[in-house]
Amino acid sequence: SQKIEQNSEALNIQEGKTATLTCNYTNYSPAYLQWYRQDPGRGPVFLLLIRENEKEKRKERLKVTFDTTLKQSLFHITASQPADSATYLCALNAGNNRKLIWGLGTSLAVNP
Amino acid sequence: NAGVTQTPKFQVLKTGQSMTLQCAQDMNHEYMSWYRQDPGMGLRLIHYSVGAGITDQGEVPNGYNVSRSTTEDFPLRLLSAAPSQTSVYFCASSPPGLPDEQFFGPGTRLTVL
């Protein structure tokens, strides 16, 4: 079956370290993949989008990689801060349309 | 810009009651969608619209109706609420062109007793 998997366990890291979150997928050939942040009681907020022909995308302290051979995306937050604590969701398009399939998210806690 | 707004923020219904969740955006976005988010299930697409007068079903459309008479508004109707519809509902919109980020509303937490 088609599915997306993210780190199921919460990730706890020390402030200043790099957080690395994983998004694996099977049976899809997405044209692009997106990462969102979600805080408790709020809607998801878009962070980064990476296309299938891009290996890496950066935005400030955020970096996303996309390996279509491994069917995996990695999301990195460098110099992490307590304010980065949230749930991070990955989403990919399942076909030639805007419909997105979502992972369950990974909870990140950055400890001061 | 207010972005994507949703009302109400919280709602409690009894089984069998009907109601409409409101969603509006002021960004002139063509694409709008409704999701539900449940623990262990993630975000699932209920219905979506690519423009005024055009709607289509998503992954879990049963028990819900939508209409899109204007670019700004995309209400979600629960015809006869069931406990299985207890969830957090998010409306999202995005501008024309593929691909693009989705802008989410703050959500409506619905409980059906």
Side-chain angles (χ1 to χ4, degrees):
Chain A
S1 62
Q2 301 171 322
K3 59 181 181 180
I4 301 174
E5 289 185 345
Q6 297 186 243
N7 313 57
S8 57
E9 295 183 7
L11 188 62
N12 282 272
I13 64 168
Q14 207 62 31
E15 182 176 7
K17 300 293 186 184
T18 296
T20 299
L21 284 65
T22 304
C23 178
N24 295 302
Y25 59 93
T26 58
N27 298 331
Y28 291 114
S29 295
Y32 59 91
L33 188 145
Q34 301 184 22
W35 283 88
Y36 287 76
R37 169 184 172 139
Q38 186 173 24
D39 293 285
R42 296 182 167 243
V45 175
F46 173 81
L47 296 174
L48 280 169
L49 180 153
I50 186 165
R51 291 174 169 76
E52 61 180 337
N53 60 350
E54 297 174 318
K55 296 291 187 189
E56 181 179 298
K57 187 74 80 69
R58 292 176 184 261
K59 178 183 175 183
E60 298 174 352
R61 294 184 296 111
L62 309 180
K63 184 178 83 171
V64 173
T65 63
F66 194 10
D67 189 325
T68 55
T69 301
L70 291 178
K71 292 187 180 294
Q72 180 181 76
S73 175
L74 297 178
F75 178 79
H76 306 272
I77 306 175
T78 58
S80 59
Q81 305 166 359
D84 295 325
S85 299
T87 296
Y88 291 86
L89 307 171
C90 74
L92 54 81
N93 73 315
N96 188 25
N97 53 51
R98 289 172 178 250
K99 288 195 279 189
L100 295 177
I101 306 297
W102 296 79
L104 295 183
T106 298
S107 175
L108 172 67
V110 181
N111 305 308
Chain B
N1 286 352
V4 180
T5 58
Q6 291 183 238
T7 56
K9 193 163 181 63
F10 301 95
Q11 183 71 49
V12 179
L13 292 178
K14 294 181 180 178
T15 297
Q17 287 184 317
S18 63
M19 79 159 295
T20 299
L21 306 185
Q22 301 292 344
C23 174
Q25 52 90 11
D26 61 358
M27 298 173 283
N28 202 32
H29 287 172
E30 291 184 350
Y31 183 86
M32 296 185 74
S33 55
W34 276 102
Y35 292 92
R36 59 179 291 175
Q37 188 173 38
D38 303 286
M41 300 294 289
L43 282 162
R44 291 182 292 169
L45 183 65
I46 304 172
H47 285 284
Y48 67 99
S49 168
V50 299
I54 306 170
T55 63
D56 205 347
Q57 296 181 349
E59 183 184 354
V60 288
N62 292 342
Y64 307 95
N65 273 359
V66 291
S67 59
R68 184 93 180 271
S69 56
T70 67
T71 300
E72 293 78 20
D73 300 298
F74 190 41
L76 178 72
R77 296 183 188 85
L78 279 70
L79 308 173
S80 177
S84 61
Q85 294 178 304
T86 294
S87 186
V88 181
Y89 292 85
F90 290 103
C91 178
S93 72
S94 59
L98 282 174
D100 232 316
E101 65 182 276
Q102 296 204 16
F103 293 78
F104 281 81
T108 295
R109 182 173 293 275
L110 175 68
T111 302
V112 183
L113 303 175

